[in-house]
Each structure stands twice: as structure tokens, then as C-alpha cells.
Amino acid sequence: MVAGTNPVEASLAMKSPFYTAEHDAFRDAMRRFVEKEITPFAHDWDEAGEFPRALYRKAAGIGLLGLGFPEEYGGIAADQFMKIVASQELARAGAGGVSASLMSHTIGSPPIARAARAEVRARVLPQVLAGEKISALAITEPGGGSDVANLRTRARRDGDDYVVSGEKTFITSGMRADYLTVAVRTGGEGAGGVSLLLIDGDTPGLSRTKLKKMGWWASDTATLHFDACRVPAENLIGEEGQGFKIIMQNFNCERMGMAASCTAFARVCLDEAIAYAKERTTFGKPLAQHQVIRHKIVDMAQKVAASQAMLEMLAWRLEQGESPVAEICMMKNQATQTMAFCASEAVQIFGGAGFMRGIKAERIYREVKVNAIGGGTEEIMKDLASRQMGL
């Protein structure tokens, strides 16, 4: 059993047959890192609206940033379960904003590793994986939401450059990203006209506007404005017109990561609720001795256990080479709904104390909706899943 686990956590997570000694060793390292470098500062960073850039280098130092990336660029071989460990240990701090921006390269850089030119990969990836530079993904637009096939940001070829004009919004790490993986329209209407470009953060004509949010306060989120930005044609990721396919592949990984995090955030709420219910006394006895509270806690534990089991089985299927798109969509909804339920019940158990800033459950409660929306809304996940099911 990993140090610091409680009986509930042990029963829910530590008996899984999917984790090896290597996974457990990495879990130990991640837990020490989070307890030392994130948890003590999470509240203050949230209030400040940012966290120190130095955290990226520290995360790189334990191998977190390199997970799953090519070793030739500083990456580390990692299976799906190693990625689950990373996401779920980060979530123990109850600071989704920190996790989102610290790990924004996990959605910004895979297209670079997969499809960029060799010289671009060699220039960009080592810096990102060492925590020296920040990578972000820019797809969503002010008028388009998740309708990627109909995006409007245009990239016009002009000699050795593309000239990019348009806007992106809700971009995680958008304010301080050094590298932006941007979805643009290089061709006609529809998915076939979409391409991906790597745009340097200091490109002339690029400006950024910081956004204020319901949750994820420590994560910088921005609207990006591209005013005739000239981007070298060699920064094209993949071939012209192939961007939509790369984006869809990226979404599957993003949704698995979100599902892992949301399940873990739900467990954080469960753990906090149990601890508080044992120490808080009402009507002459601890909260935990009131039947209604015990039933709430069991309902929370049941949903967390179900979500974790579904997550791990899907991870195993991915390791076998399958591509269960419908189930990944349903998993994302399952996890975000579990998070929403557990955050709400935890705040209810805390009562007035749960309405006060400073506890993890309150912070997680504010972050429920961004997870239910980001990476594809619940409605889009259901529609994608139904189409995969032949409906």
C-alpha cells in the first residue's frame, strides 16, 4: 500500500491488477512531489490567479512532463496506467487549474511529436519536456465552440509563409504559452480544409486577452488574436487538410486524461467528506453517525469505484490496440458526472464550511462545469458515442 492512503482509498484503488511495481514507484514519487510542491500552495495560487513558472521545471525533474513522449526528445516511455497515475496523483491537491496549465503540453505537443517535421520536433519538444517552454493547444473559436470542422481562423499561403488571421478562445495556458498548436483553415469548407500550424508565442501580430473564470483560477486562460501573423510554412504539422484527423486523435487522449482526473477529484471530495464527518459533531454525535450522512458517503464511494473500474478497463483495451471511441466518450461523461455528484455531496456534508474558500471540496465544486464542457460537452459526447454505435 502506498504511504498516506486511507482504508477507503485502499479499497477503491489499490487492489487493481493493472498496476506494477513500476507504477507504484512512480505513484510514490508523484505523491511526494504533489505534497511538497503543490498542495501547500494551491489555495494561494488560486487566489493569485497563477502559479510559478518554476513548477514546470520541477515537474520535468521527476519525469512528469515527459510521460509518453519520444525518448529522443527527453520523453519517457509510459503506458496508459502510468498516465492515469500521473493524472490522479496531481488531482490529490484538489487544484484543477494547476493541473490544467501544468499539463497543457499533453494536448499541445502530441500533434508535434506525431506529425511535425523532424527539425521542428527537435527544436520544440526538448524545451517543452524539460519545463523550459510552455505548449498549448488552440482550437476553440468565439463563434464555434466544439464545431471544429467549421472553424474560421484562416491561414493563407504566401511564399514561404502562412499568413494567419482569426481568433481562438478558452485557451488553457494561452497567456504564457511559448508554442501554440493552432487549428487553421487552409482550404475549403468542412473538415477537409482544416490544418494545424505551430505558432511561436512571440510572433508579430499575435495578441492575448486574459479571461476570468468560474473555476481553474490558477490556470491562465486566454483569447488569442491573430492579425496577419506570418508563420513559416515549415511549421505546418502534418499535411495540409489533415488537421481534423490529428485533432480527433488528440481528443481521445485528452478525454481519457480528463476522465482520470475527474474520478480522482471525486475521490478527493469523498476523502474530505469522510474526514469531516468523523470530526464534526452535531446534535450530540459525529456527523458520520447520522444515517443520512453515511448513505451520502456510500453513494459517493459507489460512483467513484464504478468510474475507476470503467477507466481502468478502457485503459487496458487501449493497451491492446483497440480504439473504443464510444466508450471513451461515455467514460468522460461518467467521470464528470461522478465528480459533480461527489463535489456537491461533499459541500453539502460540510454545510456552511463548504461554502467558504480554502477547502478542496469547495474549489473542486467550482471546477465541475469546466470538465463537463472541456474536451467536448456531455451532449457532444453522447452524440459521438451514439454515432459510433451505429445510431
Side-chain angles (χ1 to χ4, degrees), residues 53 56-57 65 101 104-105 108-109 112 123-125 127-137 171-182 197-204 206 208 220 224 226 231 235:
R53 192 168 176 131
Y56 290 88
R57 287 182 181 269
L65 301 190
S101 274
S104 64
H105 74 292
S109 289
I112 301 171
R123 172 171 63 90
V124 172
L125 291 177
Q127 299 178 80
V128 172
L129 302 185
E132 298 168 359
K133 300 289 185 180
I134 298 171
S135 168
L137 180 69
I171 307 305
T172 300
S173 292
M175 289 304 297
R176 57 183 181 180
D178 303 289
Y179 297 113
L180 296 158
T181 300
V182 184
L197 276 178
L198 177 68
I199 301 181
D200 287 14
D202 59 359
T203 299
L206 168 63
R208 321 182 196 211
D220 74 80
L224 309 177
F226 301 96
V231 180
N235 282 20

Side-chain angles (χ1 to χ4, degrees), residues 153-282:
T153 298
R154 182 158 294 277
R156 172 179 55 85
R157 185 68 182 261
D158 182 25
D160 292 332
D161 295 331
Y162 285 97
V163 180
V164 180
S165 296
E167 285 187 320
K168 300 292 179 179
T169 196
F170 311 142
I171 307 305
T172 300
S173 292
M175 289 304 297
R176 57 183 181 180
D178 303 289
Y179 297 113
L180 296 158
T181 300
V182 184
V184 297
R185 184 163 300 284
T186 54
E189 296 301 311
V194 175
S195 301
L196 282 176
L197 276 178
L198 177 68
I199 301 181
D200 287 14
D202 59 359
T203 299
L206 168 63
S207 59
R208 321 182 196 211
T209 302
K210 187 172 184 178
L211 301 176
K212 293 185 177 181
K213 314 176 294 295
M214 178 190 296
W216 277 11
W217 295 351
S219 169
D220 74 80
T221 308
T223 294
L224 309 177
H225 312 269
F226 301 96
D227 184 9
C229 295
R230 299 192 74 89
V231 180
E234 67 179 18
N235 282 20
L236 181 68
I237 298 174
E239 302 296 327
E240 273 200 14
Q242 297 299 307
F244 187 82
K245 180 180 179 180
I246 298 172
I247 292 167
M248 292 303 105
Q249 292 172 336
N250 215 46
F251 272 142
N252 285 334
C253 296
E254 179 182 5
R255 289 161 185 161
M256 282 294 290
M258 292 183 73
S261 295
C262 290
T263 302
F265 284 128
R267 183 176 297 144
V268 170
C269 291
L270 170 61
D271 289 344
E272 275 209 327
I274 290 173
Y276 187 76
K278 287 181 176 180
E279 67 182 34
R280 172 79 164 113
T281 298
T282 62

